[in-house]
Structures are given as structure tokens and as C-alpha cells.
Amino acid sequence: MVEITQQKCACEPCVCIVNVEDAIVHDGRNFCSDNCANGHADAAGCGHAGCGC
Ligand SMILES: [Zn+2]
Ligand SMILES: [Zn+2]
């Protein structure tokens, strides 16, 4: 049985892979950061190297 433990951040332009266990869950989707979870309302990007979301 294969368990999904990693998933791409649900933020479209985001290239980050998040551990489902420590993801920020918003509307049932997994995000890599608070910024992504709230649709970048406060700040651009997620603070992760190499990610330009
Ligand atoms: Zn990101
Ligand atoms: Zn993002």
C-alpha cells in the first residue's frame, strides 16, 4: 500500500513539495506556507529558495 506523504504545494505557481504532515491546510488543500495558503494576500512568495510564486 502506497501512502502519499509528499505533495506539491496547492499554490499554482509554487514549485515547492510539502510533507503532507506539516503542510498548512487551507480549504482542504495543502500549502507550503501561510503566504500561499492565504493566496498571497500579505506577501509575495513563500520564502523558500528557488520558488518564485
Ligand atoms: Zn513555494
Ligand atoms: Zn505560493
Side-chain angles (χ1 to χ4, degrees):
M1 195 175 128
V2 179
E3 212 179 320
I4 298 170
T5 55
Q6 292 196 314
Q7 195 175 55
K8 189 193 153 295
C9 174
C11 174
E12 263 308 317
C14 189
V15 296
C16 297
I17 301 297
V18 293
N19 283 315
V20 172
E21 275 188 10
D22 11 89
I24 314 287
V25 181
H26 185 72
D27 283 342
R29 297 184 298 165
N30 296 315
F31 294 88
C32 69
S33 69
D34 288 321
N35 285 342
C36 293
N38 67 22
H40 296 287
D42 301 325
C46 61
H48 295 128
C51 182
C53 74

